[in-house]
Amino acid sequence: MIKIPEEINLENYTLILPSVAVGNVGQLCTDLLISNLNLNKVGSMWNPVFLPICGLDPYNKNCQSLCTAADFYLETYHKIIVLHLRAPHIGPLNDFFDKITQFIKQKKISKVIILSSSYDYECADKSDSSLRYLTTDNSLLNNEKFLESLTWKRHVKKTSTESAKQYYIPGGGFANGFYDYLKSIGIPCTVLFCYCSEGDNIPDALILFKGLNQWLNLLKENTDYGIKYPPSWEYLFGNPPSLEIY
């Protein structure tokens, strides 16, 4: 079930969502996107495949609004709508894919961007920190010079059998499944991800965020400085240890 005001016009908008994956890099990048563009929450989604959660507003300490496992955030200038997923899935994703695709078609959303990550040990060249991508978006495919300027690399995974998918993303969550699903019905989709390991994944999220910004030009200023972290990141690794233990 998707709850969003009917009067919101999303024609030719871009839907951006994270795939819950290794290091939660896509989710952290989505946090940065919402914080730095000051996106407004406009709705939510409920689907039994995602674990239910509820908490305080992650982006404003003084706000009484609550966040859930799946919330929508809107930015009208760049025409983007973000579906932030904060919980892992616990079953088959067919119904979720169906429902979100119906929403995309009904609202005439033009394309989808999935933010994800993959196990760093799957990267053949450990010194290569380039972002990887998969895309069916002709605005990218037909603009080779622009793609070269982004310094991304098209993802191709070496496999032992010819029948295996050449672009599978290990540890990437539902990114591959949703990419295949949207590809099969002709909805332009791009997966953008980086290699990482579990731990402090803020640097990985910054790399992904900057790569996304380089493409969509969401922030005009130099994104090496002045990136705003959401207040919820203050507790990313829990509270400080109690002084009583020393």
Side-chain angles (χ1 to χ4, degrees):
M1 178 178 67
I2 293 176
K3 295 183 65 176
I4 192 170
E6 287 292 334
E7 63 270 18
I8 293 180
N9 180 11
L10 296 178
E11 186 172 357
N12 294 322
Y13 270 61
T14 297
L15 171 64
I16 302 176
L17 73 162
S19 173
V20 181
V22 56
N24 301 316
V25 177
Q27 292 165 291
L28 294 172
C29 180
T30 304
D31 275 342
L32 291 173
L33 187 62
I34 294 170
S35 296
N36 287 272
L37 291 180
N38 297 313
L39 303 191
N40 296 313
K41 181 180 174 180
V42 293
S44 59
M45 185 192 77
W46 181 86
N47 192 287
V49 75
F50 294 105
L51 291 172
I53 66 166
C54 184
L56 297 176
D57 189 319
Y59 312 110
N60 187 346
K61 290 181 177 180
N62 301 317
C63 182
Q64 300 300 312
S65 174
L66 297 176
C67 73
T68 70
D71 290 326
F72 285 99
Y73 295 83
L74 186 69
E75 207 272 354
T76 57
Y77 181 78
H78 296 96
K79 290 192 171 183
I80 62 172
I81 182 164
V82 174
L83 172 59
H84 201 341
L85 300 173
R86 299 185 173 95
H89 66 86
I90 54 173
L93 288 157
N94 304 68
D95 182 66
F96 166 67
F97 289 169
D98 287 341
K99 292 295 191 299
I100 198 68
T101 301
Q102 291 172 17
F103 172 75
I104 291 168
K105 290 181 176 180
Q106 178 188 359
K107 292 294 187 179
K108 299 181 180 178
I109 292 171
S110 62
K111 59 185 176 183
V112 177
I113 299 172
I114 304 170
L115 304 174
S116 190
S117 50
S118 182
Y119 296 118
D120 62 349
Y121 57 74
E122 294 286 345
C123 182
D125 184 358
K126 303 301 182 184
S127 64
D128 185 3
S129 60
S130 303
L131 295 178
R132 283 359 189 232
Y133 76 95
L134 294 169
T135 190
T136 59
D137 186 349
N138 286 329
S139 67
L140 283 175
L141 292 172
N142 297 333
N143 196 340
E144 292 184 8
K145 288 186 177 180
F146 180 63
L147 268 176
E148 289 175 1
S149 72
L150 295 174
T151 65
W152 300 351
K153 289 189 176 180
R154 186 169 182 84
H155 175 56
V156 176
K157 177 176 168 55
K158 294 182 179 180
T159 57
S160 57
T161 61
E162 293 183 2
S163 61
K165 289 182 179 178
Q166 296 297 304
Y167 54 83
Y168 176 63
I169 304 172
F174 65 69
N176 271 122
F178 198 29
Y179 175 81
D180 283 340
Y181 188 90
L182 294 174
K183 181 179 180 180
S184 69
I185 56 179
I187 294 177
C189 177
T190 299
V191 179
L192 186 62
F193 73 96
C194 63
Y195 289 105
C196 72
S197 57
E198 297 280 3
D200 181 357
N201 294 103
I202 290 177
D204 304 304
L206 289 168
I207 291 171
L208 190 58
F209 177 69
K210 291 174 184 177
L212 180 68
N213 183 62
Q214 188 183 16
W215 173 22
L216 301 181
N217 197 26
L218 301 172
L219 296 177
K220 301 295 184 182
E221 63 269 21
N222 188 336
T223 54
D224 286 331
Y225 304 96
I227 292 179
K228 182 171 63 175
Y229 293 178
S232 56
W233 283 21
E234 295 177 16
Y235 312 104
L236 203 58
F237 300 102
N239 294 322
S242 173
L243 296 177
E244 295 178 357
I245 68 174
Y246 297 108

